[in-house]
Amino acid sequence: MNIDTILDQIFELPEHSKSVLKNLISEVEFPKDSIIIKAGKVEKTVYFIKKGIVRAFVPQENQDLTFWFGKEGDVVLPMKSYVDNYQNYENIQLLEDCVLYQLKIDALRKLFETDINIANWGRKLAERELVKTEELFISRQFRTASQRYEELLTKQPEIIQRVQLGYIASYLGITQVSLSRIRSDI
């Protein structure tokens, strides 16, 4: 997915503002299993996924807790660092070889002060991430594991095809054995 499409799906910018923003964005590649964002650190970069799949997780004693998957077109945005310049709680691991666009948060903040269009783009970015977080919270609180799996099948079928079952089970908050039962019932 190209950077113009990714930026426009957040908020359409006038060409001049988009050009200024794009001048701060570079393309990077990382191999599968890389951890590009580490818990307990202040992250200085926002990533946009051009190619590949990632997962956000929190390490636990017995097993990591996966709570989000990102794919082409998605934003990898550690909100605590983005909003408050504070340490994140999550790790971001690449589940495939990935091509990402990167944007330094400090450079973006400077643009917020000089370009109202980019400031609005940044606000829309934060709003979209907040809505995703709210949807995830509601799904975890009020839907069964079966309902969450069916939702994943409907809304993000590529995740089912490209992500190992252990991570999907962790995302659903169940064991792989329970996931196998759910899959056989569907």
Side-chain angles (χ1 to χ4, degrees):
M1 182 168 280
N2 72 45
I3 192 62
D4 288 291
T5 303
I6 294 170
L7 296 176
D8 287 345
Q9 72 186 10
I10 295 165
F11 181 77
E12 281 197 46
L13 289 165
E15 280 308 312
H16 173 72
S17 296
K18 187 191 290 187
S19 177
V20 169
L21 183 57
K22 283 172 50 178
N23 283 335
L24 298 176
I25 296 172
S26 59
E27 190 174 300
V28 292
E29 295 184 30
F30 294 100
K32 178 181 178 177
D33 292 325
S34 296
I35 306 275
I36 59 168
I37 293 176
K38 294 183 175 134
K41 298 193 180 228
V42 177
E43 182 55 43
K44 303 290 185 188
T45 308
V46 174
Y47 295 98
F48 307 93
I49 304 172
K50 178 178 184 179
K51 179 180 175 289
I53 296 261
V54 306
R55 77 175 178 125
F57 71 95
V58 177
Q60 300 290 300
E61 263 186 54
N62 298 332
Q63 178 182 346
D64 297 339
L65 173 62
T66 299
F67 63 89
W68 176 77
F69 295 108
K71 63 186 181 331
E72 289 82 3
D74 286 338
V75 180
V76 178
L77 179 65
M79 288 301 285
K80 289 186 74 98
S81 291
Y82 178 74
V83 173
D84 291 330
N85 201 31
Y86 195 75
Q87 299 173 356
N88 339 310
Y89 54 86
E90 77 266 48
N91 292 303
I92 303 292
Q93 178 185 22
L94 308 184
L95 301 181
E96 299 175 345
D97 292 340
C98 287
V99 180
L100 308 170
Y101 299 107
Q102 68 178 7
L103 172 60
K104 297 298 179 189
I105 293 172
D106 287 343
L108 181 57
R109 284 190 187 119
K110 286 179 184 168
L111 286 181
F112 291 164
E113 295 172 10
T114 60
D115 187 319
I116 189 66
N117 296 305
I118 294 174
N120 282 328
W121 178 89
R123 177 182 51 81
K124 290 304 258 182
L125 173 61
E127 289 171 354
R128 285 173 39 114
E129 294 304 307
L130 176 62
V131 168
K132 280 194 240 180
T133 302
E134 183 179 60
E135 287 172 348
L136 179 62
F137 175 76
I138 290 169
S139 177
R140 286 235 179 230
Q141 292 295 324
F142 299 108
R143 292 189 181 100
T144 65
S146 295
Q147 290 169 326
R148 290 193 312 270
Y149 181 74
E150 287 180 23
E151 183 177 56
L152 196 59
L153 270 174
T154 304
K155 291 185 175 179
Q156 295 182 299
E158 63 280 357
I159 298 294
I160 304 295
Q161 298 164 357
R162 294 165 67 184
V163 172
Q164 62 181 302
L165 292 180
Y167 294 146
I168 293 171
S170 171
Y171 173 78
L172 297 172
I174 58 176
T175 65
Q176 275 190 258
V177 172
S178 295
L179 177 57
S180 294
R181 271 187 246 134
I182 289 170
R183 288 168 52 104
S184 68
D185 289 347
I186 292 179

